[in-house]
Amino acid sequence: MSLRYDGCAHFRARLTVSTLSGKPLKISHIREQDIESGGSIVGLQDYEANYLKLLESLSDGCTIEVNETGTQLYYRPGLLIGGTITHYCGTSKSIGWFIEGILPLALLCKSPVKLILTGITNDSQDFTVDVLRHVTLPLL
């Protein structure tokens, strides 16, 4: 049985639940309505595709398939292995956005995780690295 969702809402949470449960995930109609309205934003955004690459490097044996328009995603989780990972997060989202999604998974990896993330450290939409460091991590 696989998990099925429509739209791009809760993208990271859906991938996290799929990975932790071991169930495949299919997300359809990702920003598909923008095609009909003549919008320029269609399918997965660059930061979402970038997050998938980070998730793929954290695990072994996962499968990620995206259709050519980026409006459908199929994800089959693999085994969380961890290790040392160097990743460029880009400039669309802050590093905090990536850490928020990866943190629950990193805690459950087979080996300790050492993430070396590069990109912007803060933006107006997401938690900064400093907030995560001084507020979130001490709570763990």
Side-chain angles (χ1 to χ4, degrees), residues 62-135:
C62 78
T63 303
I64 299 170
E65 297 172 8
V66 180
N67 71 348
E68 60 187 49
T69 60
T71 57
Q72 289 189 359
L73 165 70
Y74 176 77
Y75 169 73
R76 180 180 299 274
L79 181 66
L80 292 171
I81 55 171
T84 301
I85 299 165
T86 302
H87 185 77
Y88 175 66
C89 297
T91 58
S92 298
K93 287 282 186 181
S94 72
I95 291 173
W97 186 86
F98 290 86
I99 293 173
E100 275 185 302
I102 290 296
L103 192 57
L105 300 175
L107 295 171
L108 300 171
C109 285
K110 248 182 155 178
S111 60
V113 176
K114 179 181 178 183
L115 280 176
I116 302 168
L117 301 175
T118 55
I120 58 173
T121 56
N122 63 342
D123 63 15
S124 61
Q125 300 171 357
D126 304 304
F127 287 127
T128 66
V129 175
D130 294 326
V131 168
L132 291 171
R133 180 177 168 207
H134 294 292
V135 176

Side-chain angles (χ1 to χ4, degrees), residues 38-59:
S40 61
I41 301 173
V42 179
L44 286 176
Q45 298 299 295
D46 59 341
Y47 58 88
E48 292 166 330
N50 203 341
Y51 182 78
L52 287 169
K53 290 177 189 173
L54 177 59
L55 185 58
E56 185 177 30
S57 63
L58 189 68
S59 62

Side-chain angles (χ1 to χ4, degrees), residues 23-44:
K23 294 181 180 178
L25 168 70
K26 183 174 182 181
I27 303 176
S28 303
H29 310 292
I30 302 171
R31 293 185 191 88
E32 210 170 59
Q33 68 278 5
D34 288 344
I35 295 172
E36 298 163 4
S37 63
S40 61
I41 301 173
V42 179
L44 286 176

